[in-house]
Amino acid sequence: MPRQRNRPAPSDGRAGTAGPDTATLAFVESPVQLLNVLEWAHTAQAGALTVVVLSPHDPMTRGQLRRMAELARDEGHAVRWEEARGGPTAPVRTIGGLTPLLRKAGRIVIGDPFSRYVQLLLTLTRARDLVVVDDGTATMEFISQLARGERLVRWHRHGSGRGPRDLVFAPFSAVARRRLTPVAEGGARTVGLFSSMPVEPPPGVHVTANEFAWTRARFGPPRLTRAADIVGTSLVETGVVDTERYLEAVRALARTHGATRYFAHRRESTDKLHRLHNETGLEVVRPDLPLELIARRGPIGRLILSFPSTVVHTLPLALLGTEVKVAVCDIDPAWLTDHASPRAQGFLDGVTGTARDVQRLPSTSRMATG
């Protein structure tokens, strides 16, 4: 399957030559989180900072993170790559190496408040300024749980979350949740959110809109193609949506809208993508950067089709000023697996229903049978 071949333009040196600000630490575990750290730094005029990559195992994620790390360095930021999951002693080694930086940091920027790794690190910092940047649609669930005072549990996770590992980690998670809970006005700690998602934060959380200003200034505008493009999702891999139903919907979308390319999510399985290519004829593209950057650089279709996901909120912002239209397809409740979380349908409906500047398509079940 072909890879996206485009490469970013060289840096124009806007970040200046100042050294990295070791008082500000950013922790990221995915390419999208790192992209949004760059967006936050641009919007906040934060200058150079230190980005710590807690590297995952997944090869596609690691590849995109390395490409994003190149862009971060181009902007003048320091990037510290940690093999945080590289064997049984890796966590101890990683945490030990980061503890001095955590103790000195005055501001911590994080991309995934649900991450146990990040929650553990938050227990070691005295930082008075905490900022959460978008980790996609998970940000919406984080804010909802924070407002209700609930434990931080990912929306697609099935079960009570009270297994042996959860119980062992519970004290660290509780401390992290308290650190992420704003204190009274004028208190010793501030909590900020940098987001493009539609959220209703609890009192005390300061929200700054992520408008993808850095992406639009750095790349594009893109060349547009006549055909439509489909954006893939990992809903099958997370156990939310049935494989056969998903492939049926993709076939219907391709047939109805004349799509020719399928941009795979970094977590989609190779076997599923091979089936998708063979059964639909779509060209499967594994992007080497987050889709917001791929789309902004182009070439990209004049119509982008997606199921409920982060991109229905972010692509209209990244592609502002172009003629690209973004369309979103609902997930039929019958497509959910028996293992899907009871919260899944409501969450997915909320992702679609709150998307701005997107076209709503007919039910995928009607398309698949029409």
Side-chain angles (χ1 to χ4, degrees):
M1 287 174 285
R3 292 179 181 272
Q4 186 76 15
R5 294 185 176 86
N6 291 343
R7 299 295 182 189
S11 171
D12 61 7
R14 286 188 304 272
T17 58
D21 177 10
T22 56
T24 299
L25 285 179
F27 292 97
V28 301
E29 298 175 77
S30 77
V32 167
Q33 292 171 28
L34 184 42
L35 169 60
N36 288 318
V37 167
L38 295 181
E39 292 287 353
W40 169 81
H42 176 84
T43 300
Q45 298 183 331
L49 60 141
T50 300
V51 179
V52 179
V53 178
L54 302 172
S55 178
H57 290 300
D58 175 61
M60 287 301 302
T61 304
R62 289 170 66 90
Q64 288 193 15
L65 271 168
R66 290 197 183 279
R67 296 283 289 111
M68 287 303 305
E70 293 175 14
L71 293 179
R73 292 187 180 102
D74 285 348
E75 296 298 313
H77 305 301
V79 179
R80 178 168 172 154
W81 186 280
E82 294 285 343
E83 293 293 350
R85 296 167 175 84
T89 63
V92 174
R93 185 172 61 250
T94 298
I95 292 170
L98 293 174
T99 296
L101 292 176
L102 283 162
R103 296 296 190 192
K104 291 187 293 185
R107 177 166 53 193
I108 299 291
V109 182
I110 64 172
D112 183 6
F114 294 103
S115 165
R116 284 177 172 171
Y117 229 127
V118 168
Q119 290 178 7
L120 181 57
L121 292 171
L122 285 178
T123 66
L124 302 175
T125 182
R126 301 186 182 96
R128 300 177 60 181
D129 187 6
L130 298 178
V131 179
V132 179
V133 302
D134 268 339
D135 184 30
T137 52
T139 305
M140 298 164 66
E141 188 70 358
F142 161 67
I143 288 297
S144 295
Q145 292 177 14
L146 191 66
R148 296 191 297 263
E150 299 175 351
R151 291 183 307 112
L152 301 180
V153 181
R154 299 184 193 277
W155 68 268
H156 56 74
R157 188 173 176 184
H158 187 78
S160 64
R162 293 292 188 180
R165 293 181 63 187
D166 299 287
L167 294 175
V168 170
F169 194 77
F172 301 101
S173 181
V175 171
R177 189 177 67 250
R178 287 197 297 272
R179 294 278 170 88
L180 290 166
T181 301
V183 296
E185 191 70 29
R189 186 176 67 257
T190 63
V191 179
L193 174 66
F194 182 72
S195 178
S196 59
M197 300 291 114
V199 294
E200 295 183 8
V205 174
H206 307 284
V207 180
T208 303
N210 179 4
E211 298 177 343
F212 284 86
W214 176 80
T215 295
R216 287 186 279 111
R218 185 75 159 77
F219 302 101
R223 178 173 66 84
L224 306 186
T225 67
R226 294 182 178 180
D229 291 324
I230 298 177
V231 177
T233 174
S234 61
L235 289 173
V236 169
E237 284 70 18
T238 53
V240 175
V241 170
D242 176 76
T243 303
E244 301 303 322
R245 298 280 198 166
Y246 182 78
L247 293 175
E248 182 183 11
V250 173
R251 283 195 296 270
L253 282 175
R255 182 179 65 246
T256 303
H257 297 281
T260 58
R261 292 188 300 178
Y262 180 94
F263 286 95
H265 188 279
R266 57 189 171 83
R267 290 180 178 169
E268 287 190 85
S269 73
T270 300
D271 289 344
K272 187 186 81 175
L273 293 175
H274 277 303
R275 275 197 63 189
L276 189 148
H277 170 70
N278 291 334
E279 295 177 16
T280 66
L282 288 166
E283 175 191 0
V284 176
V285 180
R286 278 197 178 270
D288 62 354
L289 286 170
L291 192 61
E292 292 80 6
L293 300 185
I294 296 294
R296 184 68 195 178
R297 294 183 319 180
I300 195 69
R302 293 180 181 273
L303 176 64
I304 300 177
L305 305 158
S306 175
F307 295 100
S309 75
T310 304
V311 298
V312 303
H313 294 274
T314 59
L315 282 180
L317 295 170
L319 294 168
L320 191 67
T322 72
E323 297 178 3
V324 178
K325 303 298 182 185
V326 179
V328 59
C329 315
D330 286 314
I331 296 292
D332 192 294
W335 294 26
L336 301 183
T337 68
D338 294 337
H339 303 290
S341 165
R343 296 180 296 166
Q345 188 64 52
F347 181 82
L348 292 170
D349 288 345
V351 170
T352 301
T354 56
R356 300 176 293 255
D357 301 320
V358 299
Q359 177 184 350
R360 298 290 295 273
L361 296 181
S363 166
T364 50
S365 58
R366 292 209 306 270
M367 279 195 298
T369 57

